[in-house]
Amino acid sequence: MNATGGYKTLPFFKQSEIIYDFTVEFVKRYIDYKSRTKDQMEQAARSGKQNIAEGYLQKSLEGRIKLVGVARGSLEELLNDYLDFLRQKNLKLWDMNSSEARKVRSFVYNSYNDYKNYKIYINDPESAANAMVCLINQTNRMLDQKLRWMEEKFVNEGGFRENLFKKRMEKRKTVE
């Protein structure tokens, strides 16, 4: 964990917070308030954010891997909801190399990246859904990298319980 700000300073946490805030606004505007899809999208966005937070508060690397994996799965579910929205409304999905997609992707490299950068897209359902497709894809790639790194660390260094057991065994040797 980053000593100066914890998980809240992690780029993928910041992005998950933007995704959540944007999704809450998106469903208010474009999804029937009685729809199960509205609840599912809000919950998937919330789960993406909250599981990163919960995972980074775990002492165990194994627990962190599990919860960051849950966050990744929730964001994938949300990504599919946005893609379904575009398909079902016969709206255009931006090509990943389009100027629109590149512009949205560039926000991530701004150290002051926050929700207001994306608000310009919320007034048009096609642009709104596409902006989130871009941001979720970027966030998922970052989470995939982090998960690979944590899994490698777990393989190389062991888990929390395993390391506690080693320390306990070392302690016993010094006591005897």
Side-chain angles (χ1 to χ4, degrees), residues 2-40:
N2 184 332
T4 59
Y7 65 86
K8 290 182 179 182
T9 64
L10 296 168
F12 51 82
F13 178 80
K14 289 180 185 179
Q15 289 169 214
S16 71
E17 192 170 56
I18 293 166
I19 291 164
Y20 177 57
D21 292 346
F22 193 99
T23 298
V24 168
E25 183 67 25
F26 180 89
V27 298
K28 278 183 196 170
R29 291 179 183 227
Y30 304 116
I31 306 292
D32 184 340
Y33 76 96
K34 296 178 190 172
S35 166
R36 181 152 159 69
T37 301
K38 174 195 176 293
D39 295 336
Q40 289 291 107

Side-chain angles (χ1 to χ4, degrees), residues 60-141:
S60 130
L61 184 57
E62 184 180 1
R64 185 176 296 176
I65 291 168
K66 179 182 177 203
L67 288 164
V68 171
V70 170
R72 171 61 172 86
S74 294
L75 291 176
E76 186 70 22
E77 177 185 341
L78 183 61
L79 173 64
N80 279 296
D81 284 331
Y82 278 111
L83 291 169
D84 290 345
F85 178 85
L86 290 167
R87 188 184 71 255
Q88 291 168 355
K89 304 281 186 196
N90 291 318
L91 300 172
K92 181 183 173 205
L93 172 63
W94 294 343
D95 181 86
M96 69 180 281
N97 294 314
S98 69
S99 60
E100 300 96 337
R102 285 196 316 267
K103 182 176 180 195
V104 170
R105 286 198 311 269
S106 73
F107 293 145
V108 169
Y109 303 107
N110 175 350
S111 61
Y112 299 103
N113 189 27
D114 83 23
Y115 179 55
K116 69 179 178 256
N117 293 333
Y118 299 86
K119 281 195 80 126
I120 61 171
Y121 296 100
I122 197 70
N123 293 322
D124 174 65
E126 182 176 285
S127 294
N130 273 291
M132 284 303 97
V133 166
C134 292
L135 184 57
I136 294 168
N137 275 322
Q138 280 182 301
T139 306
N140 282 347
R141 278 192 281 288

